[in-house]
Amino acid sequence: MPRVLVVGGTGLAGRAVTAEAVERGHDVVVAARRTPDDDADAYVPGAVYVTTDLVTGSGLEEAVDGADVIVDASNGVGRQAAHVFAFGAQNLLHTAARFGVNSAVLLSVAGIDGSGYAYYRAKAEQERAYLDSPLETRVVRATQFHDFVTAIFERGRPFGTLLAPSRTRFQPIAVADVARVLVDAAEGAGEPGVRTVAGPRIESARELAEQWKRHSGSRRPVVPVRLGGALGATWRAGRNLAPEHAIDGIGYGAWLSSRAA
Ligand SMILES: NC(=O)c1ccc[n+]([C@@H]2O[C@H](COP(=O)([O-])OP(=O)(O)OC[C@H]3O[C@@H](n4cnc5c(N)ncnc54)[C@H](OP(=O)(O)O)[C@@H]3O)[C@@H](O)[C@H]2O)c1
């Protein structure tokens, strides 16, 4: 079985990728700046953890040594995003090429093309670094995760509300479904290049927030808020949606029910 290096394998998506790859019998190495204790939620039994910083390059050689394929599920917050996605990707890819890694899979976001949102511009730069590298690359663009849209609604908590971006629709997807697609790609499924994977249904932010409200038993009102800036504009234009790439996966309602179970 090929050795899979999951970069950012302690994060939300990365944990699911690590679990899926271990489950399929791969030899899995996880790279992140903080490695989890073996009783932590982020710890997947059977995976090997290497403390690595993509930006400084520390631990990178140990992480890539012996890897056949990289799955990059790293993330950065705020200004850090540009560092992780631009410098971090270059560091990783140069080291990987030196160590003879054959191929890579990058987790990206649906609808980033042409957006003025700084985070999306950084993701586009990260994609270019991968596609220009000597590694055979599959970029998988996913729509918003169920967890992510839920976190948006919960931004209203300090104000006693559930916040629903107005005139915005989402096509959210389960991280477990994304992880399956990423591990398929790591196993060589599909042509190299860019593909998109999207959740099974498109619903308004308000409809989704109402579902979350019912599920969580919250009494807070769902309040429409116009999201400013380039991200709000990108979402209102529906560029985060990809109906032609909808998968027959876990919808938001089913995901909420599975959490309750
Ligand atoms: N959220 C969504 O709805 C969504 C939708 C589509 C695509 N995506 C993409 O999915 C990817 C993963 O998102 P996520 O929400 O799963 O991320 P996350 O939970 O924030 O996890 C990020 C991971 O990256 C690691 N990391 C951060 N900085 C690093 C560095 N300098 N060196 C090495 N590792 C580093 C983190 O571990 P340490 O902090 O310990 O280093 C962690 O393992 C992102 O690229 C995002 O654009 C997200």
Side-chain angles (χ1 to χ4, degrees):
M1 275 306 223
R3 177 182 282 204
V4 182
L5 170 63
V6 185
V7 180
T10 57
L12 177 63
R15 280 200 301 269
V17 172
T18 301
E20 179 71 23
V22 167
E23 172 76 26
R24 292 193 198 183
H26 292 290
D27 186 5
V28 181
V29 176
V30 169
R33 288 169 305 174
R34 288 154 297 179
T35 53
D37 294 333
D38 57 12
D39 58 350
D41 284 349
Y43 179 76
V44 176
V48 171
Y49 290 82
V50 178
T51 306
T52 308
D53 190 327
L54 291 174
V55 178
T56 65
S58 79
L60 260 183
E61 293 192 344
E62 188 191 344
V64 300
D65 193 9
D68 298 292
V69 54
I70 292 171
V71 179
D72 188 345
S74 63
N75 201 6
V77 180
R79 284 191 187 161
Q80 232 190 40
H83 293 298
V84 175
F85 295 149
F87 306 132
Q90 292 292 358
N91 278 343
L92 173 63
L93 291 164
H94 284 140
T95 311
R98 250 190 323 115
F99 278 75
V101 180
N102 297 318
S103 58
V105 178
L106 171 66
L107 174 55
S108 190
V109 185
I112 58 173
D113 288 330
S115 173
Y117 182 46
Y119 179 91
Y120 284 4
R121 289 205 311 267
K123 287 297 292 183
E125 198 171 336
Q126 185 192 32
E127 285 190 0
R128 271 194 303 278
Y130 271 86
L131 293 167
D132 291 346
S133 80
L135 279 72
E136 181 180 275
T137 291
R138 291 172 174 80
V139 174
V140 176
R141 294 178 169 183
T143 52
Q144 282 69 45
F145 303 154
H146 294 321
D147 318 68
F148 180 74
V149 297
T150 305
I152 296 172
F153 308 147
E154 282 299 321
R155 289 216 170 171
R157 182 178 282 275
F159 315 105
T161 66
L162 288 160
L163 188 157
S166 58
R167 293 175 48 217
T168 298
R169 293 177 300 157
F170 291 112
Q171 190 176 354
I173 190 166
V175 161
D177 285 329
V178 176
R180 272 190 286 279
V181 174
L182 291 169
V183 179
D184 288 347
E187 291 173 347
E191 291 300 311
V194 182
R195 75 188 69 168
T196 300
V197 62
R201 290 187 65 186
I202 296 175
E203 292 177 273
S204 70
R206 175 161 208 123
E207 286 166 328
L208 291 161
E210 292 289 358
Q211 290 176 55
W212 168 241
K213 176 175 170 153
R214 280 195 298 280
H215 170 81
S216 62
S218 172
R219 298 166 68 100
R220 288 174 278 148
V222 174
V223 174
V225 173
R226 187 183 163 84
L227 207 62
L231 180 62
T234 299
W235 285 355
R236 279 190 296 280
R239 300 220 310 249
N240 57 323
L241 308 174
E244 67 282 22
H245 296 294
I247 58 157
D248 184 20
I250 306 161
Y252 190 64
W255 178 76
L256 290 174
S257 305
S258 72
R259 277 165 54 104

